[in-house]
Amino acid sequence: MKNAHTDNYDLDAIDKKIIHILTDNAKSSLAYISKNVGISTTAVHQRIKKLEQAGVIENSISFLNPRKIGYKVISYMGVYLEKPSHYQEAVKALQEINEVVEAHYTTGNYTIFLKVLCKDNDHLMTILNKIQKLKGVTRTETFISLEQSINRQLKV
């Protein structure tokens, strides 16, 4: 149930079970969820719709494994902007670079922190050069991920 004083949605135990099942496998059938949660498929369907309408569940998507399609280098990049006023323009330009899959406006040393997927180090260098040429970018700092040890959704 949505709390009138905040944007928080109060999840009950059944909602949490449904979300747990869907985060493990977004393709789980209503019948499977119903059986594991102990309510009818109609009730499961109604609850999922309410969770979607409240914005608790935003998407039901399949995730690509970047390594399986040739993107073997996962990197993180701190981007320093000359002025914070360049942020919106920089984000707009970054959205045009397909390999940039996440961008975060951050506190600390970097103005923007990126997650960038590349095929190899040469490809990373090409993307790095594109980013360094963007208006307002004064410098970047790049980290290459050697292994992703944890990749999960938040458990509720």
Side-chain angles (χ1 to χ4, degrees):
M1 176 183 297
K2 189 161 175 123
N3 185 326
H5 301 292
T6 67
D7 287 333
N8 293 335
Y9 189 89
D10 295 324
L11 300 170
D12 65 17
I14 293 173
D15 289 333
K16 289 179 182 180
K17 286 179 185 177
I18 292 170
I19 290 168
H20 178 75
I21 291 168
L22 290 174
T23 55
D24 282 344
N25 181 1
K27 294 181 180 182
S28 296
S29 70
L30 294 178
Y32 175 82
I33 298 170
S34 171
K35 178 181 174 190
N36 285 279
V37 175
I39 61 175
S40 72
T41 56
T42 302
V44 168
H45 179 72
Q46 289 170 344
R47 282 179 176 261
I48 290 172
K49 286 294 176 204
K50 284 182 183 178
L51 291 167
E52 288 172 342
Q53 290 168 349
V56 174
I57 298 175
E58 291 186 341
N59 292 311
S60 297
I61 63 169
S62 297
F63 289 96
L64 286 176
N65 180 337
R67 292 187 184 278
K68 296 288 184 183
I69 57 172
Y71 287 79
K72 300 195 183 300
V73 176
I74 298 171
S75 65
Y76 296 88
M77 193 176 302
V79 178
Y80 297 84
L81 294 180
E82 183 180 2
K83 298 184 226 172
S85 60
H86 290 293
Y87 174 72
Q88 293 298 331
E89 188 175 350
V91 168
K92 189 175 180 180
L94 289 165
Q95 287 174 334
E96 299 299 317
I97 302 172
N98 186 53
E99 293 84 356
V100 175
V101 296
E102 290 183 22
H104 303 269
Y105 191 30
T106 63
T107 61
N109 291 331
Y110 316 114
T111 310
I112 305 171
F113 199 72
L114 307 174
K115 181 176 181 180
V116 181
L117 303 178
C118 296
K119 294 180 179 188
D120 53 33
N121 287 345
D122 290 335
H123 187 201
L124 175 59
M125 190 65 164
T126 300
I127 300 305
L128 183 58
N129 287 332
K130 282 184 187 180
I131 292 169
Q132 290 174 336
K133 290 177 184 175
L134 297 178
K135 181 179 178 184
V137 173
T138 56
R139 68 185 181 103
T140 60
E141 188 172 350
T142 304
F143 307 89
I144 295 175
S145 173
L146 300 176
E147 176 183 306
Q148 183 173 355
S149 305
I150 299 172
N151 182 20
R152 63 179 175 212
Q153 292 288 310
L154 180 66
K155 299 277 186 192
V156 292

